[in-house]
Amino acid sequence: MNSWPTWLPLRENLRELSAYGAPQIPASAVMNTNENPYAPSEELAEAISERIKEASLHLNRYPDRDANTLRNKLATFINGLSGTNFTSENIWAANGSNEIIQSIFLAFGSGAALGFTPSYSMHPLIAKVAQVQWAVGTRAADFSLDATSAIAQIVETRPVLTFVTTPNNPTGSAVSLADLEKIAQNCDGLLIVDEAYAEFSDEISAVTLINRYPNVVVIRTMSKAFAFAGARVGYLVAHPAVVQSMFLVRLPYHLSALTQAAAEVALDFSDELLGTVATLRKDREKMRSELHNLGLVVLPSSSNFLLFSGFKQSSAQLWQRLLDRGVLIRDVGLLGYLRVTIGNEAENKKFIESLTACLGEEQ
Ligand SMILES: *Cc1c(COP(=O)(O)O)cnc(C)c1O
C-alpha cells in the first residue's frame, strides 16, 4: 500500500486504495481481460486510417460535442440486433463503458448503489471514487442471481441504482429477461443492466424492456465481442431523460474526433467484427469440456470466458505457474477460482497444455 506524503491533500477515502487494473504483462497467450483475440482485418484498418486522415484535417476544431453521427449509428446497430426503435436520443456514448458507469454515479448517485457479489469489481470501485455509497448484495452459492432474492435485497436496501451484470463477470452466467423484468418492476431507482458480454449470450437484450420500464438503463461496450477495446468506446441505451442527464455530467468534448471517426467506421464493419462470436462460443464449449476432463469444475458461461475451480494449489500459485509458462489468465480474487478468456486456437491449446502440466505438478 502507498504511504502518501502528509502535505498531499488526497481525499481521505482514496488513501487506502492502490491503483487497480489487470496486470499488463507480456505473455505468449494473453487471456486475462476478456478481449476478442481476433484483430481487425487489413481492410478495416485501411478504412479507419482513411477516415482518421480526413478527421485529422480538422483537428484544430473541437469534435462534435454530442457525437450525433456516432449515436445515430449506435441506435441503428442496436435496433438491428434487438428489433427496437431507438434514436440517438436513447443513446449516450463515452470512452469505454467505464466512463459511462462513472457518469451514472455522478448523475444519479444521491443514495446507495447496490450490486450482487461476485460481479464486476469496477462497479464498486468507481462508486468509491465518485463518493457513492456501495451496498454489497449477495448471490446464491452457485453464483446465480435469483430474482426473488434480488428483489428482497432491493426492498431492504432501497438503492437509487441497482447493478445487474448479465452475463455476469467473472462468473459467466446470464439472468433471463423474465427475471430482469421482475427486478425492473420492483426497483424504485434505476436498474443498470451491464451487458458487456451480451453478444455471446442467447438471452434477449434488456434494451427491449426500456419502452415499458423507463428506469432500465443498459450499458454496452465495443471492447469485448466487438473486438475494439483499444479504441475505448462504450455506450448506454435508455429513456431520453437518462441520456439528457448524461449531458449534465459529461466533460465538454469528452469523446475525441478520432475516437468518433474510428467507431463510426467500425460500426460499418460490424458484420466482420462480430463475425468471430460464433467461433468464440464454440471454442468456449470445447474448452469447457477440456477443463472438465482435467477434473476441474467449470461454471456454465454465456460469455467469452470461463471461471473454474477444483485445483489443489492456491489461485495465486496456479496463476503464477501458468504465467511462468507464458499464459496470462486472471485471478479475480475469488478463493479457489481462476478465470480464463477464450483466446484464438493457438492460445487455447497452449493454455490447456500448460494447465495440464501445472496440475501434474500438484501430485
Ligand atoms: C469489460 C467490462 C466492461 C468494460 O469495459 P470498457 O472497456 O470500459 O467498455 C464493463 N462491464 C463489464 C462487466 C466488463 O466486464
Side-chain angles (χ1 to χ4, degrees):
M1 194 188 285
N2 250 315
S3 69
W4 299 99
T6 48
W7 52 262
L8 193 71
L10 189 64
R11 284 180 196 278
E12 205 50 53
N13 69 330
L14 298 182
R15 288 186 170 263
E16 70 198 38
L17 292 182
S18 30
Y20 175 83
Q24 291 193 305
I25 305 171
S28 51
V30 176
M31 308 169 83
N32 69 331
T33 48
N34 299 344
E35 295 146 321
N36 188 320
Y38 299 105
S41 67
E42 197 64 36
E43 191 196 355
L44 172 52
E46 284 291 334
I48 291 174
S49 309
E50 224 165 272
R51 190 73 71 82
I52 294 272
K53 162 113 199 274
E54 269 167 46
S56 303
L57 295 169
H58 308 283
L59 282 179
N60 55 315
R61 299 291 180 189
Y62 283 115
D64 173 5
R65 193 170 42 208
D66 299 339
N68 281 308
T69 307
L70 176 59
R71 286 165 56 223
N72 262 311
K73 275 183 175 278
L74 286 167
T76 306
F77 172 68
I78 286 292
N79 291 340
L81 286 182
S82 293
T84 42
N85 239 326
F86 296 119
T87 69
S88 61
E89 293 183 15
N90 299 99
I91 308 282
W92 181 247
N95 296 282
S97 46
N98 277 308
E99 188 187 0
I100 300 273
I101 294 163
Q102 185 184 53
S103 296
I104 287 172
F105 284 127
L106 293 178
F108 306 114
S110 56
L114 170 68
F116 304 97
T117 306
S119 190
Y120 187 46
S121 57
M122 287 309 294
H123 293 153
L125 197 57
I126 300 172
K128 187 173 183 106
V129 171
Q131 301 201 294
V132 173
Q133 186 201 334
W134 182 261
V136 181
T138 56
R139 290 171 174 265
D142 66 356
F143 300 138
S144 63
L145 182 63
D146 167 64
T148 313
S149 158
I151 292 164
Q153 296 179 63
I154 289 167
V155 168
E156 199 190 323
T157 312
R158 296 258 145 244
V160 287
L161 298 167
T162 300
F163 281 78
V164 173
T165 305
T166 179
N168 189 42
N169 178 12
T171 58
S173 66
V175 178
S176 74
L177 188 69
D179 276 357
L180 279 177
E181 178 166 1
K182 279 187 219 153
I183 297 171
Q185 279 167 344
N186 289 279
C187 219
D188 278 343
L190 295 180
L191 174 61
I192 312 293
V193 185
D194 189 335
E195 287 193 351
Y197 303 96
E199 294 91 339
F200 297 107
S201 162
D202 290 326
E203 285 296 337
I204 296 167
S205 167
V207 299
T208 57
L209 296 175
I210 292 169
N211 275 343
R212 275 174 299 143
Y213 305 96
N215 61 330
V216 171
V217 176
V218 178
I219 304 176
R220 310 269 301 215
T221 179
M222 290 174 81
S223 297
K224 306 286 164 60
F226 215 88
F228 215 52
R232 308 303 298 126
V233 184
Y235 53 101
L236 65 71
V237 189
H239 186 279
V242 172
V243 174
Q244 281 154 26
S245 313
M246 296 293 100
F247 282 84
L248 303 177
V249 296
R250 64 102 193 272
L251 294 172
Y253 314 111
H254 67 133
L255 202 54
S256 94
L258 304 180
T259 304
Q260 292 184 40
E264 286 163 26
V265 178
L267 284 163
D268 291 338
F269 282 73
S270 55
D271 285 349
E272 173 194 316
L273 286 166
L274 291 174
T276 55
V277 167
T279 305
L280 290 167
R281 285 173 53 137
K282 190 164 65 56
D283 291 349
R284 170 188 79 206
E285 292 315 307
K286 178 164 177 258
M287 189 187 288
R288 190 159 123 87
S289 71
E290 286 168 338
L291 291 173
H292 179 78
N293 290 341
L294 286 172
L296 298 167
V297 181
V298 195
L299 273 75
S301 170
S302 307
S303 55
N304 66 334
F305 55 82
L306 292 167
L307 188 71
F308 62 94
S309 64
F311 41 88
K312 298 191 190 94
Q313 54 205 303
S314 73
S315 311
Q317 248 168 351
L318 182 53
W319 180 84
Q320 184 61 53
R321 284 186 172 152
L322 285 165
L323 185 58
D324 293 344
R325 292 170 184 270
V327 179
L328 178 60
I329 66 167
R330 191 69 169 270
D331 182 353
V332 292
L334 273 179
L335 229 55
Y337 290 86
L338 284 171
R339 191 194 72 191
V340 60
T341 306
I342 309 304
N344 62 29
E345 210 180 321
E347 288 171 320
N348 296 341
K349 185 160 174 281
K350 183 162 174 75
F351 164 65
I352 292 294
E353 284 170 3
S354 307
L355 181 62
T356 307
C358 293
L359 295 176
E361 290 163 9
E362 276 184 337
Q363 308 321 322

